[in-house]
Amino acid sequence: MKHNCCNHIGRRTVLSGAVFVAGGIALLPGTAFAGHAEALVLTCIDYRLVDDAVHFFDSHHLTNEYDQVSLAGASLAAVSPKFPSSNAALWDHVDIAKKLHAIKKVIVVDHRDCGAYKVAYGEKFVGERAGETAQHKEVMAEFKKTLAKKHPDLGVEFYLMDLDGKAEAVTV
Ligand SMILES: [Zn+2]
Protein backbone atom coordinates (compact mmCIF):
# COMPACT_ATOMS: atom_id res chain seq x y z
CA MET A 1 0.00 0.00 0.00
CA LYS A 2 1.15 3.51 -0.72
CA HIS A 3 1.04 6.55 1.53
CA ASN A 4 -2.48 7.76 0.73
CA CYS A 5 -5.61 6.02 1.79
CA CYS A 6 -9.27 6.80 1.99
CA ASN A 7 -9.11 7.32 5.75
CA HIS A 8 -7.61 10.67 4.92
CA ILE A 9 -10.87 11.75 3.34
CA GLY A 10 -12.85 11.28 6.53
CA ARG A 11 -10.31 12.72 8.90
CA ARG A 12 -9.39 15.74 6.84
CA THR A 13 -12.87 16.62 5.74
CA VAL A 14 -14.12 16.53 9.33
CA LEU A 15 -11.31 18.83 10.40
CA SER A 16 -11.94 21.29 7.62
CA GLY A 17 -15.71 21.24 7.68
CA ALA A 18 -16.55 19.71 4.32
CA VAL A 19 -20.10 20.00 3.11
CA PHE A 20 -21.91 16.76 2.44
CA VAL A 21 -25.25 16.23 0.75
CA ALA A 22 -27.52 13.21 0.59
CA GLY A 23 -26.15 10.58 -1.73
CA GLY A 24 -22.50 11.51 -1.71
CA ILE A 25 -19.73 13.97 -1.22
CA ALA A 26 -20.78 17.33 -2.55
CA LEU A 27 -17.65 19.31 -1.89
CA LEU A 28 -14.20 18.36 -0.89
CA PRO A 29 -12.22 21.16 0.66
CA GLY A 30 -8.87 22.19 -0.79
CA THR A 31 -7.15 20.80 2.28
CA ALA A 32 -8.29 17.27 1.37
CA PHE A 33 -5.42 17.02 -1.14
CA ALA A 34 -3.35 13.99 -0.24
CA GLY A 35 -0.52 13.45 -2.71
CA HIS A 36 -0.34 12.44 -6.35
CA ALA A 37 -1.64 9.57 -8.40
CA GLU A 38 -1.00 9.28 -12.11
CA ALA A 39 -4.50 8.28 -13.15
CA LEU A 40 -7.98 7.21 -12.27
CA VAL A 41 -8.69 3.87 -13.91
CA LEU A 42 -12.18 2.70 -14.79
CA THR A 43 -12.83 -1.00 -15.22
CA CYS A 44 -15.89 -3.22 -15.40
CA ILE A 45 -16.81 -5.22 -12.33
CA ASP A 46 -16.45 -8.53 -14.21
CA TYR A 47 -14.90 -11.19 -11.94
CA ARG A 48 -13.12 -12.88 -14.86
CA LEU A 49 -10.76 -9.97 -15.42
CA VAL A 50 -9.97 -8.58 -11.98
CA ASP A 51 -6.48 -10.12 -11.87
CA ASP A 52 -5.86 -9.30 -15.53
CA ALA A 53 -6.67 -5.67 -14.90
CA VAL A 54 -4.11 -5.50 -12.08
CA HIS A 55 -1.48 -7.13 -14.33
CA PHE A 56 -2.39 -4.74 -17.12
CA PHE A 57 -1.87 -1.66 -14.94
CA ASP A 58 1.32 -3.13 -13.48
CA SER A 59 2.64 -3.67 -17.01
CA HIS A 60 1.94 0.01 -17.71
CA HIS A 61 4.17 0.96 -14.75
CA LEU A 62 1.20 2.13 -12.72
CA THR A 63 1.60 -0.10 -9.67
CA ASN A 64 0.16 1.86 -6.73
CA GLU A 65 -0.03 4.92 -8.97
CA TYR A 66 -3.72 4.88 -9.74
CA ASP A 67 -7.10 5.34 -8.15
CA GLN A 68 -9.69 2.83 -9.32
CA VAL A 69 -13.41 2.77 -9.98
CA SER A 70 -15.11 -0.45 -11.09
CA LEU A 71 -18.62 -0.15 -12.51
CA ALA A 72 -20.48 -2.57 -14.75
CA GLY A 73 -19.74 -1.70 -18.37
CA ALA A 74 -16.76 0.62 -17.63
CA SER A 75 -17.09 3.27 -20.40
CA LEU A 76 -20.77 2.49 -20.71
CA ALA A 77 -21.36 3.10 -17.01
CA ALA A 78 -20.08 6.65 -17.37
CA VAL A 79 -22.36 7.80 -20.17
CA SER A 80 -25.26 5.40 -20.71
CA PRO A 81 -28.74 6.62 -19.73
CA LYS A 82 -29.40 2.98 -18.79
CA PHE A 83 -27.14 3.37 -15.74
CA PRO A 84 -27.81 6.82 -14.25
CA SER A 85 -26.50 6.07 -10.77
CA SER A 86 -23.29 4.69 -12.29
CA ASN A 87 -22.96 7.89 -14.37
CA ALA A 88 -23.14 9.96 -11.19
CA ALA A 89 -20.76 7.71 -9.25
CA LEU A 90 -18.10 7.79 -11.94
CA TRP A 91 -18.09 11.56 -12.41
CA ASP A 92 -18.14 12.12 -8.64
CA HIS A 93 -15.04 9.96 -8.38
CA VAL A 94 -13.23 11.79 -11.17
CA ASP A 95 -13.79 14.96 -9.12
CA ILE A 96 -12.59 13.27 -5.94
CA ALA A 97 -9.50 11.75 -7.57
CA LYS A 98 -8.56 15.15 -8.98
CA LYS A 99 -8.99 16.90 -5.67
CA LEU A 100 -7.30 14.25 -3.53
CA HIS A 101 -4.58 12.98 -5.82
CA ALA A 102 -4.23 15.46 -8.69
CA ILE A 103 -4.68 12.76 -11.33
CA LYS A 104 -3.51 13.61 -14.82
CA LYS A 105 -5.68 11.26 -16.82
CA VAL A 106 -8.45 8.70 -16.86
CA ILE A 107 -7.75 5.22 -18.22
CA VAL A 108 -10.80 3.29 -19.36
CA VAL A 109 -10.54 -0.48 -19.77
CA ASP A 110 -13.57 -2.09 -21.41
CA HIS A 111 -13.71 -5.79 -22.15
CA ARG A 112 -15.24 -8.14 -24.67
CA ASP A 113 -18.32 -10.23 -23.87
CA CYS A 114 -19.40 -7.56 -21.36
CA GLY A 115 -22.73 -8.29 -19.66
CA ALA A 116 -23.53 -4.60 -19.19
CA TYR A 117 -23.10 -3.96 -22.92
CA LYS A 118 -25.52 -6.83 -23.55
CA VAL A 119 -28.02 -5.24 -21.15
CA ALA A 120 -27.75 -1.94 -23.02
CA TYR A 121 -27.57 -3.20 -26.61
CA GLY A 122 -28.65 -6.84 -26.67
CA GLU A 123 -26.54 -9.77 -27.86
CA LYS A 124 -26.11 -8.59 -31.44
CA PHE A 125 -22.31 -8.61 -31.39
CA VAL A 126 -21.64 -11.74 -29.36
CA GLY A 127 -18.64 -13.41 -31.01
CA GLU A 128 -18.42 -10.72 -33.69
CA ARG A 129 -15.26 -8.80 -32.93
CA ALA A 130 -15.41 -5.95 -35.42
CA GLY A 131 -18.98 -5.00 -34.53
CA GLU A 132 -18.24 -5.32 -30.84
CA THR A 133 -15.16 -3.10 -31.17
CA ALA A 134 -17.18 -0.48 -33.07
CA GLN A 135 -19.82 -0.47 -30.36
CA HIS A 136 -17.20 0.12 -27.65
CA LYS A 137 -15.59 2.85 -29.77
CA GLU A 138 -18.86 4.67 -30.07
CA VAL A 139 -19.37 4.69 -26.31
CA MET A 140 -15.73 5.64 -25.71
CA ALA A 141 -16.13 8.60 -28.08
CA GLU A 142 -19.10 9.73 -26.00
CA PHE A 143 -17.01 9.30 -22.87
CA LYS A 144 -14.20 11.39 -24.37
CA LYS A 145 -16.62 14.16 -25.32
CA THR A 146 -18.17 14.22 -21.84
CA LEU A 147 -14.76 14.22 -20.13
CA ALA A 148 -13.56 17.08 -22.35
CA LYS A 149 -16.56 19.13 -21.27
CA LYS A 150 -16.26 18.35 -17.57
CA HIS A 151 -12.47 18.14 -17.24
CA PRO A 152 -10.64 19.57 -20.25
CA ASP A 153 -7.39 19.37 -18.27
CA LEU A 154 -7.46 15.56 -18.02
CA GLY A 155 -6.06 13.15 -20.57
CA VAL A 156 -7.81 9.92 -21.45
CA GLU A 157 -6.79 6.48 -22.75
CA PHE A 158 -9.03 3.66 -23.87
CA TYR A 159 -8.41 -0.07 -24.01
CA LEU A 160 -10.48 -3.10 -24.92
CA MET A 161 -9.51 -6.30 -23.11
CA ASP A 162 -10.04 -9.83 -24.35
CA LEU A 163 -11.12 -12.52 -21.94
CA ASP A 164 -7.54 -13.83 -21.92
CA GLY A 165 -6.40 -10.53 -20.42
CA LYS A 166 -4.77 -9.10 -23.55
CA ALA A 167 -5.81 -5.52 -24.15
CA GLU A 168 -5.67 -3.41 -27.28
CA ALA A 169 -5.48 0.39 -27.25
CA VAL A 170 -8.54 2.01 -28.82
CA THR A 171 -8.27 5.38 -30.50
CA VAL A 172 -11.40 7.49 -30.66
ZN1 LIG B 1 -18.31 -6.09 -18.20
Side-chain angles (χ1 to χ4, degrees):
M1 195 178 83
K2 223 185 156 191
H3 45 289
N4 308 319
C5 80
C6 290
N7 292 337
H8 290 188
I9 299 173
R11 183 167 55 81
R12 294 193 182 200
T13 50
V14 167
L15 286 174
S16 54
V19 179
F20 289 82
V21 293
I25 298 169
L27 294 170
L28 283 170
T31 51
F33 180 76
H36 292 270
E38 184 67 19
L40 173 71
V41 305
L42 172 62
T43 67
C44 185
I45 60 168
D46 198 302
Y47 70 98
R48 295 171 293 179
L49 293 170
V50 172
D51 57 342
D52 296 295
V54 172
H55 293 148
F56 174 77
F57 297 124
D58 285 348
S59 73
H60 281 66
H61 310 291
L62 287 168
T63 307
N64 288 346
E65 294 290 343
Y66 60 92
D67 292 332
Q68 179 163 5
V69 174
S70 295
L71 292 165
S75 63
L76 189 65
V79 294
S80 171
K82 295 246 183 199
F83 305 107
S85 54
S86 293
N87 299 171
L90 184 273
W91 297 113
D92 277 355
H93 280 78
V94 174
D95 286 339
I96 292 167
K98 261 179 89 170
K99 285 177 179 140
L100 287 186
H101 301 144
I103 55 160
K104 297 175 195 152
K105 61 186 171 185
V106 179
I107 301 174
V108 181
V109 181
D110 281 7
H111 70 93
R112 296 192 183 276
D113 192 42
C114 181
Y117 266 76
K118 289 179 195 169
V119 167
Y121 296 114
E123 309 240 347
K124 193 163 114 189
F125 293 120
V126 170
E128 207 274 277
R129 289 177 70 87
E132 187 182 39
T133 302
Q135 196 169 59
H136 282 268
K137 267 182 118 160
E138 202 175 294
V139 175
M140 288 167 175
E142 186 66 30
F143 184 107
K144 189 176 180 180
K145 208 165 73 183
T146 308
L147 182 72
K149 260 188 228 152
K150 290 177 181 286
H151 299 285
D153 53 323
L154 290 181
V156 65
E157 294 172 18
F158 297 101
Y159 297 89
L160 184 54
M161 186 175 275
D162 269 297
L163 294 183
D164 64 2
K166 289 192 185 113
E168 60 185 289
V170 179
T171 307
V172 294

